[in-house]
Amino acid sequence: MCKKVPLRGALIVLEGCDRSGKTTQCKNLVKALEANGRPAKYINFPDRTTECGGLINSFLTNKKDFNDETIHLLFTLNRWEAKNAMEILLRDGVTLIVDRYSYSGVAFSAAKGLDLEWCKAPEAGLLKPDLVLLLTMTASAISKRGGFGDERYEVPEFQQRVMKMYDQLKDDSYWTEIDADKSFGALHDELLTHCNHAIDNIVNEKMDKLW
Ligand code: NYM
Ligand code: MG
């Protein structure tokens, strides 16, 4: 039986607080999809390899200071500069597994006190994901994880505020919440099932836009 070729790749985003295991899960999802003959690529934001990403890295590692609005816009710019390349890959049938996206941008900045709508505005027009997988963790699970580094934002109290902001952003039409407080393998299997389902259910060749 011949397998149906999807119209395009799926744009799948993993979101959640720091230490929820997103990065390792994303990379393993790409490996698993590719092993099943489904072209996939790992993308992460912030992309610290660009000039703009270098400024963001200096901020996160406390080497540079920017006011809240400026760093917010730099994170957004870092996504805009990646947009065309992402669109080309998706059109070529490559599924993108994205480690953080606009939702991190808004949740982290709003958790610092910036207005949520102000934070969303410059993200409007970026590619809208087909699926957002939100890795949730309770306050006690966050504290238990520990191992937070010394980058900005990496403190349990702030992470809890970020989780509350995700609550305000989530949209059940394309978000799925997944409890990350389980074994790596169990979480991987659950995420992979959702990714395969998203790839199998692409109906529009054209990508939608945020928001
Ligand atoms: N972060 C990430 C933001 O504040 N805004 C954004 O738009 C994005 C994409 O950067 N604590 C924060 C969340 C993280 C930090 O991300 C670095 P990572 O995934 O730890 O490299
Ligand atoms: Mg981090």
Short mmCIF file of all heavy atoms in Angstrom, two decimals, residues 46-80:
data_model
loop_
_atom_site.label_atom_id
_atom_site.label_comp_id
_atom_site.label_asym_id
_atom_site.label_seq_id
_atom_site.Cartn_x
_atom_site.Cartn_y
_atom_site.Cartn_z
N PRO A 46 15.52 31.01 21.89
CA PRO A 46 16.27 31.86 20.98
C PRO A 46 17.32 31.07 20.20
O PRO A 46 17.91 30.14 20.74
CB PRO A 46 16.95 32.86 21.93
CG PRO A 46 17.09 32.12 23.23
CD PRO A 46 15.87 31.26 23.32
N ASP A 47 17.50 31.48 18.93
CA ASP A 47 18.59 30.94 18.13
C ASP A 47 19.79 31.84 18.42
O ASP A 47 19.89 32.95 17.90
CB ASP A 47 18.22 30.95 16.65
CG ASP A 47 19.41 30.56 15.77
OD1 ASP A 47 20.48 30.25 16.32
OD2 ASP A 47 19.25 30.58 14.54
N ARG A 48 20.69 31.35 19.26
CA ARG A 48 21.79 32.20 19.75
C ARG A 48 22.90 32.36 18.72
O ARG A 48 23.89 33.04 18.98
CB ARG A 48 22.35 31.61 21.06
CG ARG A 48 21.26 31.46 22.15
CD ARG A 48 21.84 31.05 23.50
NE ARG A 48 20.76 30.57 24.39
CZ ARG A 48 20.74 30.73 25.71
NH1 ARG A 48 21.71 31.36 26.32
NH2 ARG A 48 19.74 30.24 26.43
N THR A 49 22.77 31.71 17.54
CA THR A 49 23.85 31.74 16.54
C THR A 49 23.82 32.98 15.65
O THR A 49 24.78 33.26 14.96
CB THR A 49 23.82 30.49 15.63
OG1 THR A 49 22.62 30.52 14.84
CG2 THR A 49 23.88 29.21 16.44
N THR A 50 22.70 33.71 15.61
CA THR A 50 22.63 34.90 14.76
C THR A 50 23.17 36.11 15.54
O THR A 50 23.37 36.02 16.76
CB THR A 50 21.18 35.20 14.32
OG1 THR A 50 20.43 35.61 15.47
CG2 THR A 50 20.52 33.97 13.71
N GLU A 51 23.36 37.25 14.83
CA GLU A 51 23.84 38.45 15.55
C GLU A 51 22.86 38.87 16.63
O GLU A 51 23.24 39.20 17.76
CB GLU A 51 24.02 39.61 14.55
CG GLU A 51 25.34 39.56 13.82
CD GLU A 51 25.43 40.64 12.77
OE1 GLU A 51 25.45 41.83 13.15
OE2 GLU A 51 25.45 40.29 11.57
N CYS A 52 21.59 38.84 16.27
CA CYS A 52 20.54 39.18 17.24
C CYS A 52 20.55 38.17 18.39
O CYS A 52 20.45 38.54 19.58
CB CYS A 52 19.20 39.17 16.49
SG CYS A 52 17.77 39.25 17.52
N GLY A 53 20.72 36.89 18.05
CA GLY A 53 20.79 35.84 19.07
C GLY A 53 21.98 36.02 20.01
O GLY A 53 21.91 35.67 21.19
N GLY A 54 23.07 36.58 19.47
CA GLY A 54 24.24 36.86 20.30
C GLY A 54 23.93 37.89 21.37
O GLY A 54 24.37 37.77 22.52
N LEU A 55 23.15 38.91 20.99
CA LEU A 55 22.75 39.93 21.98
C LEU A 55 21.86 39.30 23.05
O LEU A 55 22.00 39.58 24.24
CB LEU A 55 21.99 41.07 21.28
CG LEU A 55 22.80 41.96 20.33
CD1 LEU A 55 21.88 42.95 19.61
CD2 LEU A 55 23.89 42.72 21.09
N ILE A 56 20.94 38.43 22.60
CA ILE A 56 20.05 37.76 23.55
C ILE A 56 20.87 36.89 24.50
O ILE A 56 20.63 36.89 25.72
CB ILE A 56 19.01 36.89 22.79
CG1 ILE A 56 18.07 37.78 21.96
CG2 ILE A 56 18.21 36.01 23.76
CD1 ILE A 56 17.16 37.02 21.00
N ASN A 57 21.85 36.19 23.96
CA ASN A 57 22.70 35.34 24.80
C ASN A 57 23.44 36.17 25.84
O ASN A 57 23.53 35.79 27.01
CB ASN A 57 23.69 34.56 23.93
CG ASN A 57 24.52 33.59 24.76
OD1 ASN A 57 23.97 32.77 25.49
ND2 ASN A 57 25.84 33.71 24.69
N SER A 58 23.96 37.34 25.41
CA SER A 58 24.66 38.21 26.36
C SER A 58 23.72 38.68 27.47
O SER A 58 24.14 38.82 28.62
CB SER A 58 25.23 39.44 25.66
OG SER A 58 26.05 39.04 24.62
N PHE A 59 22.48 38.91 27.11
CA PHE A 59 21.50 39.33 28.12
C PHE A 59 21.23 38.18 29.09
O PHE A 59 21.27 38.35 30.32
CB PHE A 59 20.19 39.77 27.43
CG PHE A 59 19.05 39.98 28.38
CD1 PHE A 59 18.92 41.18 29.08
CD2 PHE A 59 18.09 38.98 28.59
CE1 PHE A 59 17.87 41.38 29.97
CE2 PHE A 59 17.04 39.17 29.47
CZ PHE A 59 16.93 40.37 30.17
N LEU A 60 20.95 36.99 28.54
CA LEU A 60 20.59 35.86 29.40
C LEU A 60 21.72 35.46 30.34
O LEU A 60 21.48 34.99 31.45
CB LEU A 60 20.16 34.65 28.54
CG LEU A 60 18.80 34.78 27.84
CD1 LEU A 60 18.61 33.65 26.83
CD2 LEU A 60 17.65 34.80 28.84
N THR A 61 22.95 35.65 29.88
CA THR A 61 24.10 35.27 30.71
C THR A 61 24.64 36.45 31.51
O THR A 61 25.77 36.42 32.00
CB THR A 61 25.21 34.65 29.83
OG1 THR A 61 25.51 35.57 28.77
CG2 THR A 61 24.79 33.32 29.21
N ASN A 62 23.81 37.50 31.62
CA ASN A 62 24.13 38.67 32.46
C ASN A 62 25.36 39.46 32.03
O ASN A 62 25.99 40.12 32.84
CB ASN A 62 24.29 38.24 33.92
CG ASN A 62 22.98 37.80 34.52
OD1 ASN A 62 22.03 38.59 34.60
ND2 ASN A 62 22.89 36.55 34.91
N LYS A 63 25.69 39.39 30.72
CA LYS A 63 26.84 40.17 30.25
C LYS A 63 26.38 41.51 29.69
O LYS A 63 27.18 42.42 29.52
CB LYS A 63 27.60 39.39 29.17
CG LYS A 63 28.32 38.18 29.75
CD LYS A 63 29.18 37.47 28.72
CE LYS A 63 29.64 36.13 29.24
NZ LYS A 63 28.63 35.06 29.02
N LYS A 64 25.09 41.60 29.38
CA LYS A 64 24.53 42.83 28.84
C LYS A 64 23.18 43.05 29.50
O LYS A 64 22.52 42.09 29.89
CB LYS A 64 24.29 42.64 27.34
CG LYS A 64 25.13 43.52 26.44
CD LYS A 64 24.65 43.35 25.02
CE LYS A 64 25.54 43.84 23.95
NZ LYS A 64 26.64 44.67 24.16
N ASP A 65 22.80 44.33 29.59
CA ASP A 65 21.51 44.65 30.17
C ASP A 65 20.64 45.36 29.14
O ASP A 65 21.15 46.23 28.43
CB ASP A 65 21.74 45.56 31.39
CG ASP A 65 20.80 45.19 32.52
OD1 ASP A 65 20.00 44.25 32.33
OD2 ASP A 65 20.88 45.85 33.57
N PHE A 66 19.41 44.98 29.03
CA PHE A 66 18.45 45.70 28.18
C PHE A 66 17.20 45.91 29.01
O PHE A 66 16.89 45.06 29.87
CB PHE A 66 18.06 44.88 26.94
CG PHE A 66 19.19 44.63 25.98
CD1 PHE A 66 19.68 43.35 25.79
CD2 PHE A 66 19.75 45.68 25.26
CE1 PHE A 66 20.71 43.10 24.89
CE2 PHE A 66 20.78 45.44 24.35
CZ PHE A 66 21.27 44.15 24.18
N ASN A 67 16.44 46.97 28.73
CA ASN A 67 15.18 47.09 29.45
C ASN A 67 14.19 46.04 28.93
O ASN A 67 14.44 45.39 27.90
CB ASN A 67 14.62 48.52 29.42
CG ASN A 67 14.22 48.98 28.03
OD1 ASN A 67 13.91 48.18 27.17
ND2 ASN A 67 14.25 50.29 27.81
N ASP A 68 13.10 45.85 29.66
CA ASP A 68 12.18 44.74 29.36
C ASP A 68 11.64 44.79 27.93
O ASP A 68 11.52 43.76 27.26
CB ASP A 68 11.00 44.76 30.35
CG ASP A 68 11.45 44.43 31.78
OD1 ASP A 68 12.59 43.94 31.96
OD2 ASP A 68 10.64 44.66 32.71
N GLU A 69 11.30 46.00 27.47
CA GLU A 69 10.73 46.13 26.13
C GLU A 69 11.76 45.76 25.07
O GLU A 69 11.46 45.07 24.09
CB GLU A 69 10.23 47.57 25.87
CG GLU A 69 8.98 47.96 26.66
CD GLU A 69 9.28 48.42 28.09
OE1 GLU A 69 10.46 48.39 28.53
OE2 GLU A 69 8.32 48.83 28.77
N THR A 70 12.99 46.25 25.26
CA THR A 70 14.04 46.01 24.26
C THR A 70 14.34 44.52 24.11
O THR A 70 14.38 43.99 23.00
CB THR A 70 15.33 46.78 24.63
OG1 THR A 70 14.99 48.15 24.78
CG2 THR A 70 16.40 46.62 23.57
N ILE A 71 14.50 43.83 25.23
CA ILE A 71 14.83 42.39 25.12
C ILE A 71 13.63 41.64 24.56
O ILE A 71 13.80 40.69 23.77
CB ILE A 71 15.35 41.80 26.46
CG1 ILE A 71 15.88 40.36 26.25
CG2 ILE A 71 14.32 41.82 27.56
CD1 ILE A 71 17.06 40.23 25.33
N HIS A 72 12.43 42.08 24.89
CA HIS A 72 11.25 41.42 24.31
C HIS A 72 11.30 41.50 22.78
O HIS A 72 11.10 40.50 22.08
CB HIS A 72 9.95 42.08 24.82
CG HIS A 72 8.73 41.46 24.23
ND1 HIS A 72 8.26 40.23 24.65
CD2 HIS A 72 7.92 41.84 23.20
CE1 HIS A 72 7.19 39.90 23.91
NE2 HIS A 72 6.97 40.86 23.04
N LEU A 73 11.59 42.69 22.28
CA LEU A 73 11.60 42.88 20.82
C LEU A 73 12.76 42.14 20.16
O LEU A 73 12.64 41.69 19.02
CB LEU A 73 11.60 44.38 20.48
CG LEU A 73 10.30 45.09 20.89
CD1 LEU A 73 10.46 46.61 20.75
CD2 LEU A 73 9.09 44.62 20.08
N LEU A 74 13.87 42.00 20.87
CA LEU A 74 14.98 41.22 20.31
C LEU A 74 14.60 39.75 20.15
O LEU A 74 14.90 39.11 19.13
CB LEU A 74 16.24 41.35 21.18
CG LEU A 74 17.02 42.66 21.06
CD1 LEU A 74 18.15 42.70 22.08
CD2 LEU A 74 17.59 42.84 19.65
N PHE A 75 13.91 39.19 21.17
CA PHE A 75 13.45 37.80 21.06
C PHE A 75 12.50 37.66 19.85
O PHE A 75 12.55 36.67 19.13
CB PHE A 75 12.70 37.38 22.34
CG PHE A 75 13.58 36.85 23.45
CD1 PHE A 75 13.73 37.55 24.64
CD2 PHE A 75 14.22 35.61 23.33
CE1 PHE A 75 14.51 37.03 25.68
CE2 PHE A 75 15.00 35.10 24.37
CZ PHE A 75 15.15 35.82 25.55
N THR A 76 11.62 38.67 19.68
CA THR A 76 10.68 38.61 18.56
C THR A 76 11.42 38.68 17.22
O THR A 76 11.14 37.91 16.30
CB THR A 76 9.67 39.78 18.65
OG1 THR A 76 9.04 39.75 19.92
CG2 THR A 76 8.61 39.68 17.58
N LEU A 77 12.36 39.60 17.13
CA LEU A 77 13.16 39.76 15.90
C LEU A 77 13.86 38.46 15.54
O LEU A 77 13.94 38.07 14.37
CB LEU A 77 14.19 40.88 16.14
CG LEU A 77 15.17 41.19 15.01
CD1 LEU A 77 14.45 41.64 13.76
CD2 LEU A 77 16.17 42.25 15.47
N ASN A 78 14.33 37.76 16.55
CA ASN A 78 15.02 36.48 16.38
C ASN A 78 14.09 35.43 15.71
O ASN A 78 14.57 34.55 15.00
CB ASN A 78 15.49 36.02 17.76
CG ASN A 78 16.46 34.85 17.75
OD1 ASN A 78 16.24 33.86 18.44
ND2 ASN A 78 17.53 34.93 16.98
N ARG A 79 12.79 35.57 15.93
CA ARG A 79 11.85 34.67 15.25
C ARG A 79 11.56 35.17 13.84
O ARG A 79 11.49 34.38 12.90
CB ARG A 79 10.53 34.56 16.04
CG ARG A 79 10.64 33.62 17.22
CD ARG A 79 9.33 33.50 17.97
NE ARG A 79 9.08 34.60 18.88
CZ ARG A 79 9.63 34.73 20.09
NH1 ARG A 79 10.49 33.83 20.52
NH2 ARG A 79 9.34 35.75 20.88
N TRP A 80 11.41 36.50 13.68
CA TRP A 80 11.14 37.03 12.34
C TRP A 80 12.29 36.71 11.38
O TRP A 80 12.07 36.40 10.22
CB TRP A 80 10.92 38.55 12.39
CG TRP A 80 9.50 38.89 12.74
CD1 TRP A 80 9.03 39.35 13.93
CD2 TRP A 80 8.35 38.77 11.89
NE1 TRP A 80 7.68 39.52 13.88
CE2 TRP A 80 7.23 39.18 12.64
CE3 TRP A 80 8.16 38.36 10.57
CZ2 TRP A 80 5.94 39.19 12.11
CZ3 TRP A 80 6.87 38.36 10.03
CH2 TRP A 80 5.78 38.78 10.81
#
